[in-house]
């Protein structure tokens, strides 16, 4: 087995074990909170990297394509299912964590927080709904990023950093 492949499997297994231990010890909600913090840090790092690659500012209109590019870079297969000025819905059939994500829903907070951080930085506000996830056994992911605050809705809200 190639060194890069072995390292990738090692880190996926490690993340699966860490998320499983957290979910077992502190519960799913608290484990999601831990991964939300990590996802926010990753979102900020990725936002800064994308900003440094560009000469013009990232706008709300850029976000959907940027998020697809991000997931492509890390082994996801996210594609845009629908897009409007108010929201974008993404579908995915392959998680970057591979089959190690199954049964580890707390890891989905990485996607929610990275998507939410980037969308909020470009737009001022975002809400991310994880409608279906591979981790929950849905066989695919469906994630909607909302760019406008609505009275009703599920998901996690994000705001641009001051």
């Amino acid at each position: 087995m190639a060194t890069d492949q072995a390292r990738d499997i090692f880190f996926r297994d490690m993340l699966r074990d860490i998320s499983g231990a957290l979910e077992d010890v502190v519960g799913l909600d608290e484990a999601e909170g831990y991964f939300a913090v990590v996802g926010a840090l990753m979102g900020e790092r990725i936002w800064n990297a994308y900003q440094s690659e560009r000469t013009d500012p990232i706008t709300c209109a850029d976000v959907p394509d940027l998020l697809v590019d991000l997931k492509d870079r890390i082994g996801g297969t996210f594609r845009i299912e629908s897009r409007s000025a108010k929201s974008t819905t993404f579908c995915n059939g392959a998680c970057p964590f591979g089959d190690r994500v199954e049964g580890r829903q707390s890891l989905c907070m990485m996607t929610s927080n990275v998507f939410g951080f980037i969308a909020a930085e470009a737009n001022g506000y975002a809400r991310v709904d994880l409608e279906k996830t591979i981790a929950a056994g849905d066989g695919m992911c469906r994630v909607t990023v909302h760019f406008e605050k609505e009275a009703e809705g599920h998901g996690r809200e994000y705001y641009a950093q001051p």
Side-chain angles (χ1 to χ4, degrees), residues 39-67:
L41 294 169
M42 295 291 298
E44 183 175 14
R45 187 175 300 121
I46 292 165
W47 170 259
N48 289 334
Y50 273 109
Q51 285 282 64
S52 70
E53 291 176 4
R54 300 171 61 106
T55 56
D56 55 328
I58 297 171
T59 67
C60 187
D62 297 325
V63 169
D65 295 323
L66 186 145
L67 296 177

Side-chain angles (χ1 to χ4, degrees), residues 68 71-72 76-80 90-92 94 96 111 115 141 143:
V68 168
K71 288 297 188 172
D72 282 347
T77 59
F78 277 75
R79 64 178 175 75
I80 297 169
F90 302 88
C91 288
N92 175 44
T111 295
F115 277 28
C141 296
V143 178

